[in-house]
């Protein structure tokens, strides 16, 4: 049977709740011209807000994102494609006058999703391009800029080729808020606070601690209770998250090879302009009955049988048919159509125009996936294999926060303090008040074992720390000296350094 039903775009969640928070921020964006950074913890609906704005605003707007896959999902374009930037460190000479200057002149609002991944040089390039193409020297050429993202999740990617030049021109760091143009924008910071993904208060509190990398030994003890035995096999419906592509490919290929049945290959139909780097799934999908897969699109039918991120098992395959088992139900999966969007001027209005399409079954092999690729996803069960260890800011937090519940987490390796990375530049940008707010939100985690121990606060206060040592510790901390180095300088464990630093920050 030939599948003719196509999923043609992002939709609001079935149980979408228009909270007062959403209403206030939408009105601010829609009725004012203020530049705004909209942030929030994992699962607070940042992407949903973007989709709600897209459907309800009357402003001439464009939606951009740092990567092709994120841009396609958000029904927008990549930053590089929109501004015709080259794929390298951006300097003024790379910013050109564009053919569609009239479109930019009509542009009122530019929304950029996953903004934590925007590098400072790219942000400065956006500002300069809008200025020269609109012939307007106001910040960002007078265009309202709306950034959406969580700075506690994954940071900008800086290649080994670009690192030296980034360090030279942006010594404070690679984030967008270190761009030379950022202070001119007078950005407001608005936070979405209601968490939709998780509901258990203790689990949410533990995730908040991982978000800030303010973890104590007792917290690690609690999360590491989710460590599984060496012979553990992930249950059907659980995905394995790992930091590196090499490990993920190894797991998926091994698992597919273990299935001794016929391979069915499905080739995507690609039309017009659609780069390989932007393909939302593989152009050629190799599948077998029994394979674990992830659906990468929402069900737009009335039944709403699945959403983007649903895990399933392939039940039956034919040349033009894919049947999946989701829990106890068998469904016939239609192909999906992804659209690549460009923006065109129509009179005084800016309209999105489809310039390329990609038609394929919305599936990926999903015994394993990278943590990076799963940012924004939600899973009932997730196995986490940090393999050689996490290697960047926010990575462990992103992995853990994909799960709805603590019981949905299976750790293949224990999480260590060395798996926690935190870029202090983030708090330098967000400011002391928001830092205090986040720290205050953290509740002390007390295990039964700790309840029977004497209060350790006094130990932390008086554990042979002199006033001179405290001043030296905070001075080095502010200079972003790594914890390992601080540990050697003060001849103390990393946990002691963290506890003392936290105590001194809260004391202020």
């Amino acid at each position: 049977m030939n599948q003719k039903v196509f999923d043609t775009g992002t939709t609001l969640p079935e149980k979408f709740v228009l909270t007062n928070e959403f209403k206030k921020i939408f009105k601010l964006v829609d009725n004012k011209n203020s530049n705004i950074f909209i942030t929030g913890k994992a699962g607070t609906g940042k992407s949903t807000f973007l989709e709600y704005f897209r459907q309800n605003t009357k402003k001439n707007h464009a939606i951009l994102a740092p990567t092709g896959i994120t841009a396609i999902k958000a029904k927008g374009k990549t930053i590089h494609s929109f501004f015709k930037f080259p794929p390298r460190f951006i300097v003024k000479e790379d910013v050109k006058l564009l053919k569609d200057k009239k479109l930019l002149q009509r542009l009122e609002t530019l929304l950029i999703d996953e903004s934590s991944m925007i590098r400072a040089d790219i942000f400065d390039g956006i500002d300069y391009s809008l200025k020269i193409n609109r012939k307007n020297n106001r910040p960002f050429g007078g265009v309202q800029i709306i950034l959406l993202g969580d700075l506690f999740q994954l940071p900008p990617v800086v290649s080994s080729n670009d690192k030296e030049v980034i360090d030279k021109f942006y010594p404070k760091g690679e984030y967008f808020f270190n761009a030379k143009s950022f202070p001119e924008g007078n950005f407001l910071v608005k936070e979405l606070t209601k968490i939709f993904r998780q509901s258990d208060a203790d689990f949410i509190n533990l995730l908040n601690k991982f978000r800030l990398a303010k973890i104590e030994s007792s917290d690690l003890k609690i999360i590491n209770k989710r460590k599984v035995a060496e012979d553990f096999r992930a249950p059907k419906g659980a995905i394995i998250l790992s930091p590196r592509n090499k490990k993920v490919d190894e797991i998926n290929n091994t698992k597919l090879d273990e299935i001794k049945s016929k391979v069915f290959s499905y080739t995507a139909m690609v039309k017009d302009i659609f780069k390989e780097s932007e393909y939302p799934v593989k152009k050629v999908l190799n599948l077998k009955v029994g394979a674990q897969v992830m659906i990468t699109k929402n069900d737009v039918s009335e039944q709403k049988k699945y959403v983007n991120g649903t895990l399933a098992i392939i039940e039956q395959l034919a040349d033009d048919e894919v049947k999946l088992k989701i829990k106890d139900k068998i469904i016939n999966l239609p192909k999906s159509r992804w659209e690549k969007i460009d923006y065109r001027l129509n009179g005084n209005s800016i309209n999105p125009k489809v310039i390329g399409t990609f038609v394929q079954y919305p599936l990926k092999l999903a015994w394993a996936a990278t943590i990076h690729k799963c940012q924004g996803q939600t899973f009932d069960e997730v196995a986490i294999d940090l393999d050689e260890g996490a290697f960047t800011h926010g990575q462990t937090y992103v992995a853990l926060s994909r799960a709805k519940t603590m019981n949905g987490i299976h750790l293949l390796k224990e999480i260590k303090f060395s798996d926690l990375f935190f870029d202090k530049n983030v708090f330098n940008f967000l400011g002391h008040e928001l830092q205090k707010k986040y720290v205050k939100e953290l509740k002390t985690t007390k295990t039964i074992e700790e309840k029977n121990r004497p209060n350790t606060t006094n130990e932390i206060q008086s554990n042979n720390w002199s006033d001179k040592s405290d001043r030296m510790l905070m001075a080095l901390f502010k200079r972003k000296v790594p914890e390992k180095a601080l540990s050697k300088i003060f001849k103390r464990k990393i946990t002691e350094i963290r506890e003392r630093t936290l105590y001194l920050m809260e004391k202020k």
Side-chain angles (χ1 to χ4, degrees):
M1 178 182 170
N2 190 28
Q3 302 291 340
K4 293 183 179 178
V5 182
F6 293 125
D7 175 357
T8 56
T10 306
T11 56
L12 290 173
E14 183 185 2
K15 295 179 181 177
F16 172 66
V17 178
L18 184 60
T19 62
N20 287 332
E21 213 168 45
F22 263 54
K23 285 179 190 175
K24 286 178 183 176
I25 296 177
F26 174 77
K27 283 182 181 177
L28 181 62
V29 176
D30 207 41
N31 299 334
K32 305 284 186 182
N33 291 316
S34 306
N35 296 324
I36 308 170
F37 172 50
I38 301 172
T39 188
K41 300 171 182 129
T44 51
K46 295 180 292 295
S47 297
T48 302
F49 177 86
L50 178 64
E51 177 61 15
Y52 179 80
F53 179 86
R54 190 184 69 78
Q55 291 187 20
N56 290 280
T57 187
K58 290 185 171 65
K59 281 187 170 182
N60 279 332
H61 70 281
I63 297 171
L64 306 182
T67 66
I69 291 171
T70 308
I72 297 298
K73 181 182 171 187
K75 281 200 161 183
K77 292 189 72 171
T78 64
I79 296 168
H80 282 72
S81 173
F82 189 82
F83 289 104
K84 304 294 186 287
F85 291 156
R88 58 173 183 268
F89 181 86
I90 307 298
V91 295
K92 273 192 173 183
E93 289 71 24
D94 293 320
V95 181
K96 309 295 183 186
L97 288 172
L98 304 176
K99 291 179 182 177
D100 46 5
K101 287 194 290 291
K102 285 185 179 179
L103 182 146
L104 288 179
Q105 284 160 10
R106 296 289 181 188
L107 185 64
E108 296 172 86
T109 302
L110 184 64
L111 301 102
I112 309 180
D113 199 12
E114 298 291 359
S115 58
S116 68
M117 299 173 71
I118 305 172
R119 279 201 331 242
D121 58 306
I122 294 170
F123 198 75
D124 277 338
I126 292 170
D127 172 64
Y128 186 56
S129 181
L130 289 171
K131 283 176 176 173
I132 64 171
N133 281 287
R134 288 168 58 88
K135 296 182 179 177
N136 184 330
N137 283 324
R138 288 161 60 202
F140 307 100
V143 172
Q144 180 188 30
I145 305 293
I146 306 297
L147 305 174
L148 298 100
D150 180 11
L151 290 167
F152 296 89
Q153 296 188 40
L154 295 170
V157 175
V158 178
S159 69
S160 53
N161 291 336
D162 289 335
K163 189 174 187 328
E164 188 178 345
V165 70
I166 285 279
D167 289 345
K168 181 179 178 181
F169 287 95
Y170 298 97
K172 290 184 178 179
E174 66 271 25
Y175 286 96
F176 68 81
F177 53 76
N178 289 319
K180 295 169 178 63
S181 58
F182 185 79
E184 299 174 3
N186 294 316
F187 279 78
L188 302 175
V189 177
K190 294 295 173 182
E191 185 184 16
L192 294 170
T193 59
K194 179 173 173 54
I195 295 174
F196 296 96
R197 184 176 295 147
Q198 295 93 12
S199 57
D200 180 271
D202 289 337
F203 184 40
I204 288 171
N205 182 52
L206 189 61
L207 289 178
N208 285 344
K209 290 187 171 190
F210 274 97
R211 183 175 185 246
L212 304 181
K214 293 198 179 296
I215 291 294
E216 302 163 12
S217 300
S218 56
D219 300 312
L220 281 186
K221 199 174 287 185
I222 287 171
I223 196 66
N224 284 331
K225 285 179 181 176
R226 302 305 305 160
K227 167 75 168 62
V228 294
E230 292 296 325
D231 58 353
F232 170 82
R233 289 182 72 85
K236 286 186 177 181
I239 191 168
I240 300 172
L241 299 185
S242 197
R244 294 168 177 83
N245 279 306
K246 183 181 176 184
K247 182 69 175 179
V248 166
D249 291 341
E250 176 189 313
I251 294 169
N252 282 330
N253 292 334
T254 300
K255 290 284 189 182
L256 192 65
D257 288 342
E258 285 175 3
I259 299 174
K260 304 304 179 188
S261 62
K262 180 182 175 182
V263 176
F264 284 80
S265 295
Y266 302 92
T267 303
M269 201 164 51
V270 186
K271 285 189 177 179
D272 303 321
I273 303 168
F274 220 118
K275 294 178 184 176
E276 188 175 345
S277 61
E278 297 168 334
Y279 292 169
V281 294
K282 286 185 179 293
K283 185 177 180 181
V284 179
L285 274 175
N286 292 320
L287 304 174
K288 292 180 181 181
V289 171
Q292 180 162 297
V293 291
M294 183 199 298
I295 303 174
T296 62
K297 273 279 201 174
N298 292 334
D299 182 4
V300 294
S301 71
E302 289 182 10
Q303 290 83 5
K304 309 290 182 192
K305 297 173 185 173
Y306 53 84
V307 295
N308 182 5
T310 295
L311 293 177
I313 304 295
I314 293 181
E315 180 75 10
Q316 186 177 320
L317 295 170
D319 290 341
D320 55 1
E321 185 177 63
V322 173
K323 286 189 176 181
L324 304 178
K325 187 174 185 178
I326 302 174
K327 294 182 179 175
D328 296 325
K329 294 182 180 177
I330 308 297
I331 69 156
N332 207 353
L333 185 72
K335 287 185 177 180
S336 287
R337 180 172 67 244
W338 287 265
E339 298 174 341
K340 183 171 180 180
I341 301 296
D342 198 359
Y343 291 95
R344 302 287 167 85
L345 193 63
N346 183 11
N348 290 327
S349 299
I350 294 175
N351 295 330
K353 180 179 173 61
V354 178
I355 59 167
T357 59
F358 181 98
V359 177
Q360 177 60 290
Y361 289 106
L363 293 173
K364 292 180 179 179
L365 290 178
W367 287 284
T370 61
I371 296 168
H372 190 278
K373 286 279 174 68
C374 288
Q375 182 161 307
Q377 301 288 350
T378 303
F379 302 117
D380 291 322
E381 292 201 69
V382 60
I384 299 171
D385 184 357
L386 292 182
D387 192 31
E388 297 170 11
F391 59 84
T392 192
H393 165 90
Q395 203 166 42
T396 303
Y397 167 63
V398 169
L400 292 171
S401 60
R402 299 312 92 200
K404 292 180 181 177
T405 65
M406 175 84 85
N407 289 337
I409 293 173
H410 309 278
L411 297 180
L412 275 64
K413 293 191 175 180
E414 288 193 347
I415 293 175
K416 304 172 184 175
F417 279 113
S418 58
D419 293 315
L420 303 175
F421 291 81
F422 186 80
D423 191 330
K424 298 177 185 71
N425 275 314
V426 170
F427 268 152
N428 291 344
F429 161 63
L430 290 174
H432 188 56
E433 288 307 309
L434 199 52
Q435 178 178 357
K436 280 204 300 188
K437 172 182 175 290
Y438 284 153
V439 171
K440 192 176 179 181
E441 285 175 354
L442 301 182
K443 298 171 187 172
T444 304
T445 307
K446 291 184 179 179
T447 62
I448 294 170
E449 185 183 336
E450 285 179 308
K451 287 179 183 176
N452 295 326
R453 283 206 311 247
N455 190 315
T456 57
T457 305
N458 291 333
E459 293 175 24
I460 294 171
Q461 291 179 20
S462 60
N463 199 9
N464 299 321
W465 286 94
S466 66
D467 289 342
K468 183 179 178 182
S469 296
D470 283 345
R471 287 194 298 273
M472 183 178 175
L473 174 63
M474 291 311 291
L476 293 172
F477 175 78
K478 287 175 183 175
R479 286 166 55 189
K480 300 169 193 166
V481 175
E483 287 176 334
K484 281 186 180 178
L486 292 174
S487 177
K488 289 179 181 177
I489 292 168
F490 291 95
K491 295 181 180 176
R492 293 174 185 264
K493 294 178 182 177
I494 288 178
T495 52
E496 291 181 74
I497 296 291
R498 278 197 184 149
E499 286 171 350
R500 190 63 181 174
T501 306
L502 180 59
Y503 167 72
L504 293 172
M505 287 171 70
E506 289 176 339
K507 189 178 174 185
K508 284 186 177 181

